[in-house]
Amino acid sequence: MSRLGGDSLLQTGTPTVTPGSSPPTGGGESAAGAVLTTPIASLLASLGVPRGLAEVLGSGITFVVVLGAFYLASRLFVVPLVDRVLEGRGLDTHAKRPLRKITNVVVVFVGIAVGFGFAGYGDFLQSLATVAAAATLAIGFAMQDVIKNFVAGIFIFTDRPFRIGDWIEWDGNSGIVEDISFRVSRVRTFDNELLTVPNSQLTDGVIKNPVAKDTLRLQFLFGIGYGDDIEHATEIIVEEAERHPEILSDPAPSVRLTELGDSYVGLKSRVWIANPSRADFVKTRGEYVTNVKQRFDEEGIEIPFPQRDLSGNVELNTPTEGGAALGDD
């Protein structure tokens, strides 16, 4: 009995160890030997901070430090490098500004992703991806106009139908482009009104850019009387164009008879100016037309105005005596 009891006691007190397996450890040793997520959390734990709080603080501090490092690197190295590359390619201001914004957004996004990885937020990234995938469809429907204008803004930056400072005309509007962003463009009219125009309106329709090239042709229709000398009037129009300092001699000014109106003969003048702008366009045309009008007056050439001739008989109906009496009653 004692031997059996001793064997029983031996079997109870000595745990069975399977070859190749590790002996079990106590719960306290497992918790104490667990590796913390970040080095900062391990440092805080070694300084006496409770392990749970050290884990939370360590992850948060790691994320902030990594994101700050990416932001600082963007300001000191990435953005200046991108600026040098854009300047080397000869891009305009309206193209540099949005590309610089895109660079900052990309760097911050990469910094957030890397910061989440170093902070041990793997589960958070997976949840974020799931939520983003589920919300993409709803956001797409809700932001159709925004996405449309964003894509139109990209086309404006790549196709460059106009630049900041250009004078453009569209849908009966006109003005000087002051800013181009991804969603809208801002145009200041010649009445000093600021128009905020969705980019899709500037890509779906026809846009006139009179200052896109180095020269611009001006046209004006001069009307003279049927009894006036057409050749003499043509010489005056050409001479005044050649005298004006802002009108180019190459291409040379030209005049063509284009209309035979009810009360005038139409002579259309075509002249060219260099380095066009809205101010130059209005000033040069106004001075040129004024000079031609003064020469016409000096040379006795009439600029007629519309006239109407009335013909026929006028009949007056006098009421009869009976009718008058009836009306008096």
Side-chain angles (χ1 to χ4, degrees):
M1 292 295 294
S2 61
R3 184 176 181 179
L4 291 175
D7 294 340
S8 177
L9 289 174
L10 289 174
Q11 292 176 0
T12 304
T14 304
T16 304
V17 179
T18 306
S21 62
S22 300
T25 58
E29 294 179 0
S30 176
V35 180
L36 293 175
T37 306
T38 63
I40 296 180
S42 301
L43 177 62
L44 293 175
S46 65
L47 296 176
V49 179
R51 296 181 61 84
L53 181 59
E55 181 74 24
V56 174
L57 293 177
S59 297
I61 295 174
T62 301
F63 172 75
V64 173
V65 170
V66 172
L67 181 59
F70 268 84
Y71 180 77
L72 186 62
S74 171
R75 301 286 294 182
L76 296 179
F77 303 105
V78 179
V79 173
L81 178 61
V82 171
D83 288 339
R84 286 195 294 269
V85 172
L86 296 179
E87 290 177 0
R89 292 184 174 272
L91 294 181
D92 297 328
T93 304
H94 84 283
K96 293 179 184 178
R97 189 179 304 171
L99 291 177
R100 190 181 296 112
K101 292 180 181 179
I102 291 178
T103 302
N104 290 327
V105 171
V106 170
V107 171
V108 171
F109 179 79
V110 173
I112 291 175
V114 175
F116 277 148
F118 275 97
Y121 292 150
D123 295 338
F124 177 79
L125 288 178
Q126 294 177 0
S127 303
L128 182 63
T130 303
V131 173
T136 298
L137 183 62
I139 294 176
F141 280 111
M143 301 181 64
Q144 286 183 5
D145 292 338
V146 175
I147 295 174
K148 179 181 179 181
N149 291 320
F150 179 81
V151 174
I154 294 177
F155 286 150
I156 291 176
F157 293 129
T158 56
D159 297 341
R160 293 193 292 182
F162 53 84
R163 301 174 177 85
I164 294 177
D166 281 0
W167 156 34
I168 63 172
E169 298 178 358
W170 80 101
D171 293 339
N173 300 306
S174 62
I176 305 297
V177 179
E178 288 198 342
D179 183 48
I180 304 172
S181 64
F182 284 111
R183 191 179 65 86
V184 297
S185 296
R186 293 172 177 84
V187 181
R188 186 168 297 280
T189 68
F190 302 109
D191 295 329
N192 204 32
E193 299 171 337
L194 184 63
L195 302 181
T196 302
V197 187
N199 286 331
S200 59
Q201 292 188 12
L202 299 177
T203 56
D204 293 344
V206 178
I207 298 178
K208 180 190 291 186
N209 188 347
V211 297
K213 303 299 181 180
D214 295 333
T215 57
L216 176 67
R217 187 176 74 174
L218 309 183
Q219 302 185 65
F220 191 85
L221 182 65
F222 294 97
I224 63 174
Y226 273 91
D228 294 323
D229 188 346
I230 295 177
E231 293 184 1
H232 185 44
T234 301
E235 291 176 359
I236 292 175
I237 295 173
V238 173
E239 287 176 1
E240 291 303 322
E242 293 173 347
R243 290 179 181 177
H244 198 288
E246 302 299 328
I247 295 178
L248 300 177
S249 57
D250 185 20
S254 63
V255 179
R256 295 290 185 272
L257 195 158
T258 57
E259 292 187 28
L260 294 175
D262 295 336
S263 57
Y264 69 93
V265 176
L267 300 177
K268 179 169 286 189
S269 172
R270 297 179 175 90
V271 297
W272 294 81
I273 62 174
N275 301 321
S277 68
R278 172 69 180 186
D280 295 337
F281 171 84
V282 175
K283 177 177 177 290
T284 302
R285 187 178 65 173
E287 292 176 350
Y288 172 53
V289 173
T290 300
N291 294 338
V292 172
K293 172 64 169 60
Q294 291 176 351
R295 283 288 305 278
F296 278 0
D297 293 341
E298 294 173 0
E299 301 292 337
I301 297 177
E302 179 186 4
I303 298 180
F305 50 86
Q307 297 179 357
R308 296 291 182 267
D309 295 331
L310 299 179
S311 61
N313 299 323
V314 179
E315 296 182 358
L316 298 177
N317 294 326
T318 8
T320 60
E321 294 183 357
L326 204 56
D328 292 340
D329 291 340

